[in-house]
Amino acid sequence: MGKPVVKDSSKLDFVEKMQAFAKRSSKKSAEDFDADKASINQIKTFDELKRTMQKAKIYLKSKLDTPGTKLVLQEIEKDFVIAGDGVFTNKGTAQTFRNLTATSKILAQLLNKANVRKVSLDLHLQELNNFRYQLDSLLSVPSLFKFPKDSTTLMKYLQKIRVIAYETSPVDSSLTLASNNIQTLLNQVNLTVFNLQSSLEEIEAYQKDMANQTFKREFSNIWDPEGFYRPFGEILNFSKTKGLLTLSFYVENNAGKLVVMILLILTSFIYLRSLKNIYIEGGLLRTDFDGQLVIRHPFLSAILLVVSLFQFIFLSPPFILSVVFWSISCICLSIIFKGFVRKYWMRVWLLMVTLFIIAALGNLVLQASRVERWFMLFTSIFGTIAGINILLKGHRDQLREKWIVWSIAFMTLLELISALANMIGRYNLAKTLLISGFLNVVIAILFLWTVRLINEGLFLAFNVYSGQDKKLFYLNFEKVGKKAPVLFYLLLILGWIVLFGRNFPAFDYLSKPLLNFFSEERTLGNYSFSINNMLLFITIMGIAVIISKIVSFFASDRHLRAGKDDKSGVEGIGSWLLLVRISILSIGLFLAVAAAGIPVDRITIVLGALGVGIGFGLQTLVNNLVSGLIIAFEKPVNVGDIVDVDGQGGKMKSIGFRSSVISTWDGADVVMPNGDLLNAHLVNWSLGGNRKRISILIGIAYDTDLEKCRQILAEILNNEQRISKNPGPIVQYEQFNNSSIDLRIYFWTKHIGDIYATKSDLIMKIVTAFRTNGIEIPFPQQDIYLHHPDKGEEDH
């Protein structure tokens, strides 16, 4: 056996020492790394804490309008008490339809106000809670609790934490206090919202019950002993207060529509006034205004037409606002009627208006009383007697609109039923029939004459704007006469049904399925839509198209120019007309897409489909549309320019999206696609200033004094006012011809439209001047000589 190997003790101690040192170094490096990592995280956390506290302080400084919210809540409570009078308090024997309707409108507006404040408070509270959560999260970061081992560093770190805690504490306390205050206020708002919603549901139940029990008896017979009633003066006072409150809320929420209505009235007034001025200047205005009643008082006609049509834009208006609209329309029509309608029917109209206003004022009384019932009874009986008298003794042959007789007969029937219902205690039915009867006549007459006046306006416009495109408003003006189209009367009947039906409790429930049908969301693939949105899109686009047509109409209206000979104004507008129309349609498309809520990604799909369509067969159409844009921006030709296109000479009448129209000198209109217009050899005389150089060739005899001839021609040319002096005319001798010396005169006319007349007049003047000065204008001729031989020669 060999000897065992003996290890060197000095080497063994060195290796173990190195391994131990490596372990210590590795551990220390890991600890240093963790410490550095914790230090970095601590610095980041401290910075984030400072930023969050700074944001929180700024947010706390921009305090929520808490006093304003409290004031709004107080106003809501006050208005709620007013709205609930006669419905929740001081109920009386029975509810009234008009009071329930007025109360529901007020509560709906109050609920909207409360919900606005609720949303604002929810957002504010959520933001405060977010700040508190961020601060708590940052203060709970684990790295903050890894303390340095070095005592000096530890003391500095603890001091830093103390400062952060000192700074964070008041911010956290302020956030907590603000959250508690807002939560308390939010609880009050939520309670108010709940009360309003509950009250609306209760009113809806009342209305439904009233609609289902239309013929229910609410009171005793009118001749029975009177029970307890609220003082009539008190009823009038709260009715006035509630009515004005309803009106103020509705006007506040629909101020934009009212402004639009006023602008439409002003626009219509300007148009009708210009139409009247045209007829005055042309001596076409009749003294009796037969067929021209719409321009008798342009401002009143504008008010009547716009208010009668635009009132349907106001959805579910309060009755007091409708009364204001109808009263204004009645006043306007009465003034327009004065001296035009026969005295008998004028008295009938004024009687109907008076009875309607009396019934409308009675309908504004929101709670029943015996005084009002007797008032209603006498009014309905008087209306019945008046209606029967009109039907039996009326001069029907003097009526311009025979349909009025039917509305008067219907009114008589309704007033008779109202009187009977009132006597046996059917108060709500009697009141509804009372106002509906007179309203039926007034609305019928207003609408019949609105249709008649619109028809007159179209007919009068056709007479003076005969040069306009008859397709401008998609109406055949040649078929418009003294008889309005049937479509107008159908729309009239539809509007009459809507306004008449609003007075009945069951109308809302009968129309609700139809409204739900239009507002119900439908799904087509991944896209949701409603018929309301589709109709809104079509309506806005239709309005944009009509506005662009109206702009085109007025821009082309030569009657609206300051001077009859001023062409630059109309042509200047016409030059930019296409761009204006494109802008209007683009804005209309944007608003229609936004209002209908069409997603942008769906538009890209439509554009992709259009791209496929363009690739397969719409190249020509797109080419013409793009060419129209090029013409609009580059303006190689403008409206009113004198042009020659492929031998077709004339004047640019209009520049459209797809095609343009050229009025030729022969009187025909050439419709040329915009693509062909750009690709053709277009000659635009107007770009050169509407000038054209003309030449006339003249032949003079060989024995003529050439210098004298030049002077005579120069004098004639210089005296002609239609010839431009810069550049001036030129007289130039050209060649020796067979029988004459040929000369040519060159001159520029100031306007291309004068070239033929100027040339004709110059020829006449030149011939006259040459004869006076003995200058001969030779013409080709041949002399024939006959040689006769002598007789003697013949004999030989």
Side-chain angles (χ1 to χ4, degrees):
M1 292 181 65
K3 294 181 179 180
V5 180
V6 180
K7 296 182 179 181
D8 190 348
S9 61
S10 60
K11 291 183 178 181
L12 180 61
D13 292 340
F14 176 76
V15 172
E16 290 177 348
K17 288 179 181 179
M18 291 302 296
Q19 289 177 346
F21 175 75
K23 289 180 180 180
R24 290 194 303 271
S25 299
S26 175
K27 183 178 179 181
K28 188 174 184 305
S29 298
E31 291 175 351
D32 291 341
F33 175 77
D34 291 339
D36 292 339
K37 184 178 178 180
S39 177
I40 294 173
N41 289 334
Q42 289 167 0
I43 294 173
K44 289 181 178 180
T45 302
F46 289 146
D47 291 339
E48 187 64 27
L49 274 169
K50 290 180 180 179
R51 284 194 296 268
T52 303
M53 284 191 296
Q54 188 67 26
K55 291 179 182 179
K57 288 178 181 178
I58 295 173
Y59 192 77
L60 287 170
K61 286 181 180 179
S62 58
K63 293 182 179 179
L64 183 67
D65 186 15
T66 304
T69 302
K70 292 180 178 178
L71 182 61
V72 169
L73 287 177
Q74 292 175 3
E75 292 176 352
I76 289 176
E77 292 294 334
K78 178 183 175 183
D79 294 338
F80 179 75
V81 172
I82 296 174
D85 195 353
V87 177
F88 306 117
T89 59
N90 302 317
K91 292 184 178 182
T93 307
Q95 299 288 355
T96 64
F97 170 66
R98 188 60 62 193
N99 196 16
L100 290 176
T101 304
T103 302
S104 66
K105 292 182 185 298
I106 294 175
L107 294 185
Q109 297 300 327
L110 295 178
L111 182 61
N112 289 336
K113 278 188 175 183
N115 280 328
V116 169
R117 294 290 172 168
K118 180 180 184 303
V119 170
S120 177
L121 289 173
D122 282 334
L123 292 176
H124 203 76
L125 182 61
Q126 182 180 357
E127 194 67 25
L128 291 174
N129 290 334
N130 286 337
F131 281 123
R132 292 180 61 193
Y133 175 78
Q134 291 176 17
L135 289 176
D136 292 341
S137 298
L138 291 172
L139 291 173
S140 302
V141 172
S143 60
L144 291 180
F145 302 99
K146 291 187 177 181
F147 301 106
K149 293 182 178 180
D150 182 66
S151 58
T152 304
T153 307
L154 177 61
M155 292 300 295
K156 291 182 179 180
Y157 180 71
L158 292 176
Q159 186 177 4
K160 191 172 185 179
I161 287 180
R162 190 180 301 112
V163 172
I164 290 294
Y166 178 78
E167 293 177 349
T168 306
S169 179
V171 175
D172 186 67
S173 300
S174 299
L175 289 173
T176 303
L177 179 61
S179 297
N180 293 334
N181 292 336
I182 292 176
Q183 186 62 60
T184 302
L185 189 58
L186 185 58
N187 292 337
Q188 298 177 11
V189 174
N190 287 332
L191 180 60
T192 302
V193 170
F194 175 77
N195 291 333
L196 291 171
Q197 288 176 338
S198 302
S199 301
L200 279 173
E201 291 173 0
E202 185 176 351
I203 290 176
E204 186 176 354
Y206 283 144
Q207 290 176 324
K208 188 175 182 180
D209 182 65
M210 186 175 293
N212 293 331
Q213 301 180 9
T214 303
F215 302 100
K216 178 183 177 182
R217 174 193 287 266
E218 297 101 351
F219 301 102
S220 60
N221 296 331
I222 198 169
W223 55 79
D224 290 340
E226 182 178 353
F228 171 76
Y229 287 99
R230 190 176 181 182
F232 186 66
E234 188 176 328
I235 293 175
L236 289 180
N237 185 51
F238 100 82
S239 298
K240 181 186 72 172
T241 304
K242 188 180 289 190
L244 293 177
L245 184 62
T246 309
L247 179 63
S248 64
F249 280 156
Y250 194 83
V251 170
E252 181 182 349
N253 293 329
N254 294 271
K257 292 181 180 179
L258 291 172
V259 172
V260 172
M261 186 176 71
I262 293 173
L263 293 177
L264 287 175
I265 290 174
L266 294 176
T267 304
S268 302
F269 164 65
I270 293 171
Y271 173 72
L272 292 176
R273 186 182 62 178
S274 68
L275 195 61
K276 183 177 182 179
N277 291 336
I278 293 168
Y279 272 78
I280 292 174
E281 293 173 3
L284 303 174
L285 197 65
R286 298 170 59 98
T287 55
D288 58 356
F289 289 97
D290 187 22
Q292 301 175 349
L293 195 62
V294 69
I295 58 176
R296 183 183 186 184
H297 300 289
F299 185 64
L300 298 180
S301 296
I303 294 176
L304 173 62
L305 296 178
V306 174
V307 171
S308 297
L309 299 177
F310 201 79
Q311 61 179 315
F312 294 100
I313 303 298
F314 294 92
L315 301 177
S316 187
F319 182 74
I320 187 172
L321 181 62
S322 299
V323 171
V324 171
F325 285 156
W326 295 328
S327 300
I328 292 174
S329 299
C330 288
I331 293 172
C332 293
L333 188 58
S334 300
I335 298 174
I336 294 173
F337 273 167
K338 186 178 181 181
F340 180 77
V341 177
R342 297 294 179 91
K343 290 184 179 180
Y344 176 81
W345 287 107
M346 185 66 182
R347 288 196 294 268
V348 170
W349 162 248
L350 293 177
L351 175 63
M352 292 295 105
V353 171
T354 303
L355 290 174
F356 161 71
I357 292 176
I358 292 173
L361 293 176
N363 203 42
L364 292 174
V365 178
L366 301 180
Q367 200 166 20
S369 66
R370 183 60 64 92
V371 174
E372 186 197 7
R373 287 184 65 187
W374 282 109
F375 169 81
M376 290 167 50
L377 180 62
F378 287 130
T379 305
S380 57
I381 291 175
F382 184 83
T384 303
I385 296 173
I388 294 173
N389 184 64
I390 293 169
L391 292 174
L392 294 178
K393 299 181 180 180
H395 304 281
R396 300 188 186 184
D397 56 320
Q398 299 176 0
L399 268 179
R400 296 177 182 269
E401 292 289 352
K402 306 300 182 183
W403 288 26
I404 294 174
V405 175
W406 293 101
S407 65
I408 293 176
F410 190 46
M411 177 272 296
T412 305
L413 177 63
L414 293 180
E415 296 307 320
L416 177 61
I417 299 175
S418 173
L420 295 175
N422 190 9
M423 286 189 289
I424 59 177
R426 271 70 175 177
Y427 170 80
N428 282 300
L429 177 62
K431 192 166 188 176
T432 300
L433 294 177
L434 174 69
I435 184 62
S436 299
F438 298 126
L439 177 64
N440 140 72
V441 176
V442 170
I443 293 298
I445 295 176
L446 285 175
F447 278 14
L448 282 169
W449 278 95
T450 296
V451 169
R452 187 183 182 93
L453 294 178
I454 291 174
N455 194 68
E456 282 186 4
L458 295 175
F459 183 71
L460 296 176
F462 168 71
N463 286 337
V464 296
Y465 298 119
S466 56
Q468 297 294 332
D469 185 2
K470 293 182 177 61
K471 296 181 181 179
L472 184 63
F473 294 111
Y474 307 102
L475 292 172
N476 188 349
F477 285 99
E478 292 179 344
K479 293 185 178 180
V480 175
K482 294 187 177 181
K483 184 67 175 178
V486 177
L487 176 62
F488 285 9
Y489 287 102
L490 293 177
L491 294 176
L492 178 153
I493 294 172
L494 180 62
W496 178 88
I497 291 173
V498 172
L499 296 180
F500 180 77
R502 283 178 180 174
N503 295 289
F504 293 87
F507 180 78
D508 290 337
Y509 296 96
L510 293 176
S511 60
K512 196 170 185 179
L514 182 63
L515 296 176
N516 290 337
F517 172 78
F518 284 103
S519 60
E520 183 181 354
E521 289 288 334
R522 292 169 171 79
T523 303
L524 184 63
N526 295 325
Y527 176 58
S528 298
F529 68 96
S530 65
I531 297 179
N532 274 341
N533 288 342
M534 293 176 59
L535 292 177
L536 184 62
F537 179 87
I538 294 172
T539 301
I540 294 177
M541 285 304 303
I543 292 173
V545 171
I546 291 173
I547 292 175
S548 70
K549 290 284 186 180
I550 292 174
V551 170
S552 175
F553 183 84
F554 279 97
S556 303
D557 179 12
R558 300 181 182 276
H559 296 290
L560 298 179
R561 293 181 298 182
K564 293 183 179 179
D565 298 330
D566 182 16
K567 300 179 182 179
S568 59
V570 174
E571 293 169 2
I573 296 174
S575 302
W576 294 95
L577 189 57
L578 182 57
L579 284 178
V580 173
R581 292 183 63 192
I582 290 173
S583 300
I584 292 173
L585 292 178
S586 300
I587 294 172
L589 178 61
F590 173 78
L591 293 177
V593 170
I598 299 177
V600 178
D601 56 344
R602 309 301 177 193
I603 299 177
T604 58
I605 294 174
V606 174
L607 293 177
L610 285 176
V612 175
I614 292 170
F616 278 101
L618 298 177
Q619 297 97 329
T620 304
L621 176 62
V622 174
N623 176 39
N624 291 328
L625 293 175
V626 173
S627 299
L629 291 175
I630 293 173
I631 293 173
F633 284 98
E634 289 191 358
K635 294 193 176 299
V637 62
N638 293 324
V639 174
D641 284 358
I642 297 173
V643 296
D644 282 327
V645 183
D646 286 341
Q648 292 286 347
K651 196 172 185 179
M652 290 300 302
K653 183 179 180 181
S654 66
I655 301 174
F657 295 108
R658 188 195 66 84
S659 61
S660 300
V661 179
I662 301 174
S663 294
T664 64
W665 306 125
D666 298 330
D669 284 351
V670 177
V671 180
M672 181 170 291
N674 290 329
D676 296 344
L677 185 64
L678 282 183
N679 294 330
H681 297 288
L682 173 66
V683 178
N684 190 338
W685 294 102
S686 297
L687 285 180
N690 283 322
R691 300 185 308 165
K692 184 176 182 180
R693 196 179 76 159
I694 305 297
S695 66
I696 301 177
L697 180 65
I698 308 173
I700 58 176
Y702 274 93
D703 58 352
T704 303
D705 185 345
L706 299 183
E707 185 59 33
K708 181 180 179 182
C709 180
R710 184 197 296 271
Q711 292 175 359
I712 292 172
L713 292 174
E715 183 179 357
I716 293 173
L717 294 172
N718 289 329
N719 291 334
E720 177 56 56
Q721 298 299 321
R722 290 168 292 184
I723 293 178
S724 176
K725 303 303 184 289
N726 185 22
I730 298 174
V731 179
Q732 182 173 324
Y733 291 97
E734 290 196 345
Q735 65 178 354
F736 295 99
N737 211 333
N738 291 333
S739 57
S740 64
I741 298 176
D742 290 344
L743 65 87
R744 190 181 296 273
I745 57 176
Y746 297 92
F747 59 91
W748 293 82
T749 56
K750 292 181 179 179
H751 195 276
I752 192 172
D754 299 331
I755 55 175
Y756 297 110
T758 304
K759 187 174 182 179
S760 175
D761 292 344
L762 284 177
I763 291 174
M764 294 173 61
K765 291 178 181 179
I766 289 172
V767 170
T768 302
F770 278 8
R771 286 177 181 173
T772 303
N773 291 276
I775 298 176
E776 180 184 357
I777 301 177
F779 53 88
Q781 58 183 350
Q782 292 181 345
D783 295 334
I784 300 175
Y785 295 95
L786 298 177
H787 298 279
H788 298 283
D790 295 337
K791 290 183 177 181
E793 294 178 356
E794 290 180 358
D795 294 337
H796 292 291

